[in-house]
Amino acid sequence: MIAIYKREMLSYFTGSIGYVFIAVFLALTGGMFSVCTLFMGESSSISTFFIGVMFIYSIVVPLLTMKSFSEERKSRTEQLLLTAPVSLTGMVMGKFFSAYTMFAGSFVLSCVNFYTLFRFGTPNVAVLVSYAVGILLIGAAYVAIGLFISSLTENQLIAAIATIGALIVMLVISFVNQYIDFYPVRAVLDWISIYSRFSNFTFGILDISSLFYYFSICFVFLFLTVRVYEKRRWS
């Protein structure tokens, strides 16, 4: 797993994808922060910023994960991975942790924006930390979903578009849910919704059920990715 992790991290910076991702990530996050806090004055809301970046990351993260497995299939290096002296779980986890390192590292860099909140205001530190933890968990879920979809196709563009579509659907179903009268359907959609789980963090509360939800999303999609390659190995 460590070898795969190092290989993937190196690939981000020997090409342009790593630099482009960090630049786009910081530019969009900084722009959203400026619009939601600095330009709004006294009516600014940090919660609006974090909700906004959830949608931004649903577009940015797929740019990071789209090549993870798709490129391996297209360049015909997939067989090297399947025959390498590493388990399929180790291979998938190596790619997951490398992509998540890029996401988390970029998010930590973007936190420099919060300096202005402390410089010109008195933000609630507990709520701010809770928001940040929520975003990091959402990022892990996004990466896991992106890796799974990337494992299904050799076309990076299709992988990116499909991941963006899946993530946006998992975000907006929470807003559609309020118009559905049938409770069983509402309950299912509410469980699937990434946004509804994040709302628990807006009160500065690290809700155990929300933590379990995001870890479950990661586990399910990483497990499915391993299964895809187990089937491909023996096909």
Side-chain angles (χ1 to χ4, degrees):
M1 185 182 78
I2 300 298
I4 298 293
Y5 174 83
K6 291 180 178 179
R7 172 179 176 269
E8 291 298 307
M9 288 300 298
L10 184 63
S11 70
Y12 286 129
F13 295 103
T14 53
S16 60
I17 185 65
Y19 302 102
V20 171
F21 173 78
I22 293 173
V24 172
F25 190 103
L26 295 180
L28 293 178
T29 302
M32 178 62 69
F33 182 81
S34 297
V35 170
C36 295
T37 58
L38 302 182
F39 295 162
M40 297 298 291
E42 294 182 357
S43 61
S44 64
S45 172
I46 193 65
S47 63
T48 304
F49 164 70
F50 278 107
I51 292 172
V53 297
M54 287 174 61
F55 286 91
I56 288 177
Y57 295 165
S58 68
I59 297 175
V60 175
V61 172
L63 301 179
L64 184 66
T65 61
M66 66 181 184
K67 79 177 191 67
S68 296
F69 291 107
S70 299
E71 187 178 51
E72 301 285 0
R73 294 184 66 183
K74 187 175 182 179
S75 61
R76 301 296 185 265
T77 58
E78 184 180 63
Q79 290 303 317
L80 295 177
L81 284 177
L82 294 176
T83 57
V86 61
S87 67
L88 293 179
T89 301
M91 177 191 72
V92 171
M93 294 305 295
K95 285 181 173 287
F96 170 77
F97 283 120
S98 62
Y100 185 67
T101 297
M102 289 292 296
F103 170 83
S106 299
F107 176 72
V108 170
L109 286 176
S110 72
C111 288
V112 70
N113 294 318
F114 301 151
Y115 168 76
T116 56
L117 297 180
F118 292 94
R119 178 68 176 80
F120 301 105
T122 55
N124 188 315
V125 176
V127 171
L128 200 60
V129 170
S130 181
Y131 273 127
V133 170
I135 289 295
L136 289 173
L137 291 171
I138 287 173
Y142 281 7
V143 170
I145 294 170
L147 288 180
F148 169 67
I149 295 177
S150 178
S151 71
L152 300 177
T153 177
E154 66 178 29
N155 189 305
Q156 295 186 39
L157 182 60
I158 292 177
I161 293 175
T163 304
I164 291 172
L167 295 179
I168 289 179
V169 167
M170 294 180 73
L171 285 171
V172 301
I173 56 176
S174 178
F175 301 99
V176 177
N177 209 14
Q178 58 184 314
Y179 301 106
I180 299 176
D181 296 328
F182 191 50
Y183 176 76
V185 174
R186 288 207 317 270
V188 171
L189 294 180
D190 187 61
W191 188 90
I192 296 174
S193 173
I194 291 178
Y195 174 78
S196 64
R197 298 288 177 167
F198 181 74
S199 62
N200 295 323
F201 293 93
T202 62
F203 302 102
I205 301 173
L206 297 178
D207 184 55
I208 298 299
S209 64
S210 296
L211 294 174
F212 178 76
Y213 167 79
Y214 290 118
F215 282 123
S216 297
I217 290 291
C218 290
F219 173 80
V220 168
F221 282 96
L222 291 176
F223 173 77
L224 291 175
T225 305
V226 173
R227 294 294 297 169
V228 166
Y229 272 90
E230 283 182 347
K231 182 177 180 180
R232 195 165 293 158
R233 169 179 278 180
W234 300 109
S235 62

